[in-house]
C-alpha cells in the first residue's frame, strides 16, 4: 500500500497567504510516502513545506510557476499502474475530457492527474482515471469571480486498485469523500505454437505432453477469434485426446483445402497467413508519429486561426503537415512540442484601452484558455512569416522549435504585454 498526497494550485503568496489551518493539522509527516503536485506552487517556501511532509515530491510546472526546473509533465511508474501528472493548462478548452484523454494516451498512463480548474473532479473515462484535486487554498481562478472550495486528495494505491479520498473545506468543516478506481487487467496472451513446421519445438513438446496443461492450450487456441477457425477445426482439435503441433497443422491444411479463393484479391489464404492470426502481436508497438485524433480541440482552434476564405480543409492539412515535419526534424512526438510552445507564448492577460472624458486609460483584463492559445498562435504565425523558408509548413515548424529554444520574437511580445499589465494594474 502506497499513500500519495495529491495537491495543487496553491498560488502562495500571490492569491492567498497560506494553506487552511485545518488542512495543515491533517498533513503531518511520517504518514505519506509521496506527494504529487499539479503545479502553481509559486514560492520556494511552500515547496520546502511539502518536502517536510514527504521527501518524494513530484511537481508539474504550472502557468504561474517561476521554477524552470519543474517539467510540464511527469510519469510515475508503480508496480501495476502508470500515473501521469500535468498542470492542465495545456488542454483547450479548460478541463476538456477529450483533450485530457488524448494527453493520457500520448503519455501512456492509466491515471492522469491534472489541475488548473481549481475544482475537484474524479472521472473514469474509456478505462482511464482522471483526477483533479482542486485548489488546496481555494485560490481565485483568474476567470471566475465566485469563491472556490479548498480541497486536496489522498490516493491509496493497492496494486491495480486506487482508492481516492477527497478532503474539502465546506463552511469551516472538513468533509471527506471516497472514489475507487480499478484498472482492468488484460487476460494472459495465448501460447504461440510453431504450427508451420512438421514437429514441435522442445518447449512446445513439453507443454503438449499429457498432464502439462495441454487442455489449457487447446482452450486458449479455441478462444482466439478468427474467420478461418471453423466449427470443423474446433471439433477436430477437441476430438484428439493428445494433440500435437504436427496434428494441429495438418488439421489447418485440410481446412484450407476447402476454403474458396478470395474474390477480391484472387489469392487463396495459406497456412502461414492462417496461423499468424493465432500468434500474439508484438506488445507496445508505438505509433511513430503520435498524430492526435481529428477531434483534438487545440488543433481545431489552430486550423480556424489559419483558415482563409472558409477553406478549413486546407488549414487542417497545413496543421497536419506541420506536425509531420516537426516530427521529422525533432524525432519526437510533435503534439507535446506544439502544446509546450503555445503554452510558453500564451499571455495571461490583455491590455485594453478605456476611453475617459479627458484621456485614454490602459486596463489589463484576464484571458480565457481559448483566448490565450489563440493569441499565442497568432504571434507564432506572424513571426513565422518572417522566416526565409518558402513552405508555410517549414516556417511554422521551425518557429515552434525556436520558441522552445527561447530565440523567438513571440516570447518578447508576451513579456511586453505582461509588462504593460503590471504597470497599468
Amino acid at each position: 500500500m502506497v499513500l500519495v498526497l495529491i495537491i495543487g494550485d496553491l498560488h502562495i503568496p500571490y492569491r492567498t497567504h497560506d494553506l487552511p489551518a485545518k488542512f495543515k493539522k491533517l498533513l503531518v509527516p511520517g504518514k505519506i510516502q509521496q506527494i504529487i503536485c499539479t503545479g502553481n506552487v509559486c514560492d520556494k517556501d511552500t515547496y520546502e513545506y511539502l518536502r517536510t511532509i514527504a521527501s518524494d515530491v513530484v511537481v508539474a510546472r504550472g502557468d504561474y510557476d517561476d521554477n524552470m526546473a519543474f517539467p510540464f509533465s511527469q510519469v510515475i511508474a508503480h508496480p501495476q499502474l502508470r500515473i501521469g501528472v500535468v498542470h492542465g493548462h495545456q488542454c483547450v478548452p479548460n478541463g476538456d475530457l477529450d483533450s485530457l484523454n488524448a494527453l493520457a494516451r500520448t503519455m501512456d498512463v492509466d491515471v492522469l492527474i491534472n489541475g488548473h480548474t481549481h475544482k475537484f473532479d474524479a472521472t473514469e473515462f474509456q478505462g482511464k482515471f482522471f483526477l483533479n484535486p482542486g485548489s488546496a487554498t481555494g485560490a481565485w481562478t483568474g476567470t471566475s469571480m465566485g469563491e472556490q472550495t479548498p480541497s486536496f486528495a489522498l490516493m491509496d494505491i493497492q496494486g491495480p486498485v486506487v482508492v481516492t479520498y477527497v478532503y474539502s473545506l465546506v463552511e469551516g468543516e472538513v468533509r471527506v469523500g471516497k472514489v475507487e478506481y480499478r484498472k482492468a487487467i488484460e487476460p494472459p496472451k495465448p501460447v504461440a505454437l510453431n504450427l508451420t513446421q512438421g514437429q514441435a519445438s522442445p518447449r512446445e513438446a513439453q507443454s503438449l505432453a499429457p498432464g502439462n496443461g495441454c487442455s489449457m492450450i487447446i482452450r486458449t487456441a479455441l478462444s482466439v477469434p478468427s474467420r478461418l477457425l471453423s466449427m470443423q477445426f474446433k471439433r477436430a482439435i477437441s476430438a484428439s485426446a493428445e494433440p500435437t503441433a504436427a496434428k494441429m497443422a495438418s488439421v489447418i491444411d485440410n481446412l484450407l483445402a476447402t476454403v474458396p479463393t478470395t474474390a477480391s484479391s484472387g489469392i487463396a489464404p495459406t497456412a502461414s497467413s492462417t496461423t499468424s492470426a493465432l500468434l500474439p502481436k508484438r506488445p507496445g508497438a508505438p505509433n511513430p508519429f503520435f498524430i492526435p485524433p481529428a477531434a483534438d480541440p487545440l488543433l481545431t482552434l489552430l486550423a480556424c486561426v489559419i483558415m482563409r476564405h472558409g477553406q478549413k480543409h486546407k488549414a487542417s492539412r497545413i496543421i497536419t503537415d506541420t506536425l509531420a515535419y516537426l516530427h521529422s526534424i525533432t524525432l519526437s512526438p510533435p503534439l507535446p512540442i506544439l502544446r509546450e510552445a503555445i503554452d510558453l507564448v500564451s499571455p495571461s492577460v490583455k491590455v485594453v484601452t478605456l476611453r475617459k472624458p479627458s484621456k485614454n486609460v490602459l486596463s489589463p483584463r484576464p484571458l480565457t484558455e481559448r483566448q490565450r492559445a489563440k493569441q499565442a498562435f497568432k504571434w507564432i504565425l506572424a513571426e513565422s512569416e518572417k522566416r526565409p523558408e518558402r513552405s508555410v509548413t517549414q516556417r511554422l515548424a521551425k518557429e515552434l522549435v525556436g520558441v522552445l529554444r527561447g530565440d523567438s520574437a513571440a516570447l518578447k511580445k508576451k513579456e511586453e504585454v505582461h509588462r504593460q499589465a503590471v504597470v497599468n494594474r
Side-chain angles (χ1 to χ4, degrees):
M1 182 184 75
V2 179
L3 193 62
V4 182
L5 170 64
I6 312 298
I7 196 170
D9 290 308
L10 303 173
H11 289 281
I12 300 174
Y14 302 119
R15 298 182 182 178
T16 185
H17 63 282
D18 201 359
L19 283 167
K22 292 190 176 182
F23 280 179
K24 281 195 167 184
K25 291 181 180 180
L26 299 175
L27 302 178
V28 295
K31 295 184 179 181
I32 298 173
Q33 286 77 37
Q34 188 179 52
I35 297 178
I36 297 178
C37 181
T38 60
N40 283 344
V41 180
C42 292
D43 69 334
K44 184 178 179 181
D45 293 338
T46 305
Y47 177 73
E48 294 299 331
Y49 167 73
L50 295 177
R51 288 180 57 87
T52 61
I53 300 175
S55 58
D56 186 5
V57 180
V58 179
V59 181
R61 184 170 14 137
D63 49 349
Y64 283 90
D65 280 323
D66 296 330
N67 191 344
M68 304 300 290
F70 295 153
F72 282 105
S73 63
Q74 294 203 55
V75 176
I76 305 101
H78 287 269
Q80 300 185 40
L81 211 65
R82 285 174 59 86
I83 300 176
V85 54
V86 296
H87 176 60
H89 61 282
Q90 300 94 334
C91 298
V92 179
N94 188 13
D96 182 70
L97 188 58
D98 291 330
S99 297
L100 292 172
N101 190 30
L103 189 59
R105 292 197 305 267
T106 302
M107 299 173 66
D108 190 20
V109 294
D110 307 302
V111 178
L112 182 62
I113 300 173
N114 62 95
H116 192 54
T117 63
H118 295 209
K119 293 181 180 180
F120 172 80
D121 183 67
T123 306
E124 184 175 350
F125 182 67
Q126 295 186 359
K128 300 183 183 297
F129 185 54
F130 300 91
L131 176 63
N132 187 332
S135 172
T137 59
W140 174 54
T141 62
T143 57
S144 173
M145 300 304 297
E147 294 185 359
Q148 303 297 326
T149 301
S151 62
F152 69 89
L154 282 178
M155 183 179 289
D156 185 8
I157 302 176
Q158 304 176 10
V161 180
V162 177
V163 181
T164 304
Y165 301 91
V166 53
Y167 294 78
S168 56
L169 188 62
V170 181
E171 297 179 354
E173 298 295 331
V174 178
R175 298 182 182 180
V176 184
K178 178 181 177 181
V179 182
E180 182 174 335
Y181 164 74
R182 183 181 297 271
K183 177 185 175 181
I185 304 298
E186 297 181 358
K189 296 182 179 180
V191 179
L193 300 179
N194 188 11
L195 302 182
T196 59
Q197 302 296 331
Q199 59 182 3
S201 63
R203 179 174 296 182
E204 294 167 356
Q206 182 180 1
S207 64
L208 290 172
N212 287 342
C214 181
S215 60
M216 180 193 68
I217 298 176
I218 295 177
R219 289 196 302 270
T220 304
L222 292 177
S223 65
V224 176
S226 176
R227 293 183 293 106
L228 297 176
L229 286 180
S230 64
M231 294 303 298
Q232 176 185 357
F233 176 54
K234 296 182 180 180
R235 287 195 298 267
I237 296 180
S238 301
S240 178
E242 296 182 8
T244 62
K247 183 174 181 60
M248 294 175 71
S250 176
V251 172
I252 294 178
D253 292 336
N254 294 334
L255 177 63
L256 291 177
T258 63
V259 176
T261 302
T262 305
S264 60
S265 61
I267 302 175
T270 60
S272 60
S273 63
T274 306
T275 55
S276 63
L278 296 174
L279 302 178
K281 295 182 179 180
R282 183 169 64 90
N287 185 352
F289 287 97
F290 294 92
I291 297 299
D296 191 289
L298 177 61
L299 301 186
T300 303
L301 175 63
L302 302 187
C304 292
V305 175
I306 294 179
M307 181 177 60
R308 296 293 182 271
H309 307 294
Q311 297 180 352
K312 191 173 182 179
H313 65 283
K314 184 177 180 180
S316 301
R317 176 60 63 88
I318 293 176
I319 295 295
T320 303
D321 294 344
T322 300
L323 292 177
Y325 185 76
L326 191 61
H327 171 75
S328 66
I329 62 177
T330 62
L331 301 180
S332 301
L335 186 58
I337 296 177
L338 174 65
R339 292 186 185 277
E340 185 173 354
I342 292 179
D343 175 71
L344 290 174
V345 183
S346 297
S348 301
V349 295
K350 65 178 179 179
V351 179
V352 298
T353 302
L354 302 179
R355 293 185 178 180
K356 299 294 182 179
S358 59
K359 61 178 180 179
N360 294 336
V361 179
L362 299 179
S363 177
R365 293 289 185 270
L367 296 177
T368 63
E369 292 299 320
R370 183 180 179 87
Q371 291 172 337
R372 295 179 58 191
K374 184 176 181 179
Q375 184 60 59
F377 192 69
K378 283 184 176 180
W379 286 342
I380 294 175
L381 192 61
E383 293 301 325
S384 68
E385 295 297 330
K386 302 176 183 178
R387 289 187 169 269
E389 289 80 10
R390 294 184 178 181
S391 171
V392 62
T393 297
Q394 297 180 5
R395 292 197 300 265
L396 187 54
K398 291 187 177 181
E399 186 64 27
L400 292 171
V401 175
V403 170
L404 297 183
R405 291 176 177 174
D407 54 6
S408 174
L411 296 171
K412 297 181 180 179
K413 292 183 178 181
K414 173 187 175 181
E415 294 175 359
E416 179 64 21
V417 169
H418 284 184
R419 186 189 64 80
Q420 291 183 0
V422 171
V423 172
N424 297 279
R425 60 183 176 180

